[in-house]
Each structure stands twice: as C-alpha cells, then as structure tokens.
Amino acid sequence: MTLQQPLPSRKPPSGLPPPAVGAGRKGYLDVTRTIRRILYVLPLLLVTVAAVRQRSVLADGFVHLGTARWPWLLAAAGSTCLTWVAAACTRQGAVLERLPARRLLATQFAAGAANHLLPTGLGASAVNLRFMTVCGLSLTRSSAALALYLLAESIGRVALLGALLVVFPDVLRPGSLPPEGALGPLLLVLGAVLVATAAVLALVRRVRTAVLSFLRTALGEARSVHTRPSRALALWGGALAFPALQAASLILVGLALGLSVPVAHMAVAYLAATVAVALVPTPGGLGSVEAALIVALVAVGGAAAVATAVVLAFRIVTVWLPLLPGALTLGALVRLKVI
C-alpha cells in the first residue's frame, strides 16, 4: 500500500511579500474616514459660500439689529431655540421607538443648518433619515416616519393659518401675496406635475408597486403611532408648536423694531408667506422667504421700509446666527457617527 504524499504548500514567488490579511477592509475604512472628513468640513464651506452670496443682506440685517430693542430680540432668540425642541417632539411622535433625547435635539439643531444649505428641506430630511437609521430603524420605516412628520408639520401650519383667517378674515386680501400673474403658471405647473405623476404610476408597474408598498408601511406606522396617546400628543403638539414659535419670533422682532402692525396680523403674514413659499425650491428659502415676508407684512398694513428691516433682522436671528454653530454641530455628529 502506497501512502498518499502530502500536497506541496503553495508559497508566494520569491521576492514577493505575502498578501496582507484584511487589506480590503483597511482600504474600505480609509475611504470611509476620508468621506467623513469631507462631510465634517463641507457644512462650513457651504456656510461660507451662502454668507458671501448673501453678504448685502447680512450687512443690512446687522445694521437694523443695532437699532432694535434688545429685550425683544432676546425673546425672539429664545423662541427660535424652542423651535428645535418642538421639532424634536414631532420627530419622536412619528416613531414608536424611543429615540435618545439629547442626540435627537442636537440632530434637530444640526438639521436646521443643513436645511438652509440645501433646497426644499432636503438637508433636514437627509440628516433625520440618517439619524433614525443609525438608531436602528429600517430605511423604509425611517422614510415613513419622515413622511408623517412632513405631513403633520404641513397640516399644523395650514391649520394655524386657517384658524387665524377665520378669526381675522379681513387681515390678508386674496391675491395680495402671490406676485401678479404668477398664480396661473403656478397652477399649470402643479397640474402638469400631478398628471405626470399619475401617468408614471399607471404605466410603470415597478414604480407603482414600490409606491404602494411604501404607502402601506407608512399607513401602518401612522396607525401604530396614534394608538399611543403620548406619541400622538408629541406629533401633533410639536407640529402646531413649531410654526407658532416661528411666527412668535417674527412678532418679537417686529416689536423690537417698532413695526406698527397688530400681533395677530404679523402671525397671519408669517404663516401665509411660508405656506406660499413652500413650493419655491431654494436653499432654506433664502431670498424667496424674505421677499414673501416683506410682501405679506406690507399686505397686512406695515410700512415697506420697516417691514424690510424686520424681515432682515428676523432672518439674522433665526437663520444666520444659528447657522455656523449648527454647521459645527452637524460636522461633530458626523464625526461621532451619530448620523
């Protein structure tokens, strides 16, 4: 009987080092670290670009802040800080799982900065979507929670505006806010978007299946949230408090600069302007919000010069002052892998 000879060991050719174990993983980690470094610096670069592009607005706004009554401005800053608390409550109310409160609040602060650097709310949505997935929620459930938040916030804003218009029906004249001749083209664009969406859903089966699956998940999540009174209260309470606190910030800045418009009228002006400008895809509404707010304040009886000063100071307090610390917080959260 012949014994089976052992197979010769395969050695690397002479002069070549053996392959490194885990080299692929090391390369992946290096790429990940590089991407995180870029994401850490990117918000600061975007803030710098936005500040340079809006330098005239910033200069005028700070000039008007110098003539304001500071107690009212401090109250406006406090109201702005409370908007992040309201946003955190609404985000928590959109999911059944308990999210870490401190990280959730920090994420809302960072999301506010991201929202002013990317168009149509994409920044805040991306930050919160990433935060929820890191917390363990699936991408589908995180997207459903995000959709529920956006729906609740929109309903809360429109409901507040409707309630104020019922109480003060003569505050805002119909047609005074949209620019002349803009309503027709806007309706045509909306109609075209609806028709195109319906056509895609009807003709593309894979898209229709994916949309229906997402809607089933979203409706199931919404039903589950509303079986918990604490979650429903957080969702709708935060959705109403968020635009109310934003309107309060504008009112307080108006009082600081002596705008001769009743408080309720300023609230109507703010809500009407933000509802009207929601369809304009600019980063954080930069430019479009200012114009709409000035038109709205003039429409409710404010003097054009004072209304312009109020809007510029309001945007300084609510957008520009928190922007740099918000961007730093965003970078820190990326670095700490919270998002």
Side-chain angles (χ1 to χ4, degrees):
M1 179 181 296
T2 57
L3 297 175
Q4 186 175 3
Q5 297 295 326
L7 294 175
S9 61
R10 296 181 180 179
K11 297 181 179 180
S14 176
L16 294 179
V21 178
R25 179 172 176 79
K26 182 178 182 297
Y28 169 78
L29 292 176
D30 290 340
V31 172
T32 302
R33 291 192 192 99
T34 302
I35 292 174
R36 286 192 174 275
R37 290 192 189 102
I38 294 172
L39 292 176
Y40 181 72
V41 177
L42 185 60
L44 300 178
L45 295 177
L46 291 175
V47 168
T48 303
V49 171
V52 170
R53 293 180 62 184
Q54 299 284 325
R55 58 186 179 275
S56 60
V57 174
L58 286 171
D60 292 340
F62 278 111
V63 167
H64 295 305
L65 283 179
T67 63
R69 288 176 286 182
W70 284 96
W72 292 116
L73 286 183
L74 291 175
S79 179
T80 300
C81 294
L82 289 177
T83 59
W84 303 316
V85 178
C89 288
T90 313
R91 300 282 183 188
Q92 177 60 83
V95 295
L96 284 175
E97 289 82 357
R98 185 167 183 80
L99 301 174
R102 292 181 181 178
R103 282 184 283 170
L104 176 60
L105 184 58
T107 301
Q108 301 320 300
F109 182 45
N115 205 42
H116 295 298
L117 300 174
L118 294 174
T120 59
L122 292 178
S125 298
V127 168
N128 280 285
L129 193 64
R130 176 61 182 168
F131 172 70
M132 286 186 285
T133 54
V134 169
C135 287
L137 275 72
S138 67
L139 182 60
T140 303
R141 292 191 60 212
S142 298
S143 302
L146 181 62
L148 180 57
Y149 168 86
L150 294 174
L151 178 63
E153 201 275 333
S154 300
I155 291 174
R157 189 176 298 270
V158 173
L160 283 177
L161 176 60
L164 286 173
L165 288 177
V166 168
V167 178
F168 306 99
D170 299 326
V171 171
L172 202 61
R173 298 185 306 275
S176 61
L177 190 56
E180 186 177 353
L183 187 58
L186 180 60
L187 292 176
L188 286 176
V189 170
L190 289 176
V193 169
L194 291 175
V195 170
T197 303
V200 169
L201 291 176
L203 298 176
V204 184
R205 183 177 179 181
R206 294 181 66 179
V207 174
R208 184 172 66 251
T209 302
V211 170
L212 291 176
S213 175
F214 174 76
L215 288 177
R216 282 193 293 268
T217 301
L219 289 174
E221 289 293 314
R223 283 195 297 267
S224 300
V225 163
H226 285 87
T227 59
R228 297 272 296 275
S230 60
R231 293 292 185 267
L233 179 61
L235 176 67
W236 293 106
L240 290 170
F242 185 74
L245 288 166
Q246 288 181 321
S249 297
L250 178 66
I251 291 168
L252 291 166
V253 173
L255 294 174
L257 290 173
L259 181 64
S260 58
V261 173
V263 167
H265 295 193
M266 281 192 273
V268 169
Y270 174 79
L271 293 169
T274 52
V275 168
V277 85
L279 299 176
V280 180
T282 58
L286 293 177
S288 57
V289 168
E290 285 90 343
L293 281 174
I294 292 170
V295 172
L297 288 174
V298 172
V300 298
V306 183
T308 302
V310 168
V311 171
L312 293 178
F314 168 73
R315 294 293 274 178
I316 291 289
V317 171
T318 60
V319 176
W320 292 105
L321 289 180
L323 195 55
L324 180 58
L328 292 172
T329 302
L330 179 60
L333 292 177
V334 170
R335 193 169 186 177
L336 295 172
K337 300 181 181 180
V338 174
I339 58 175

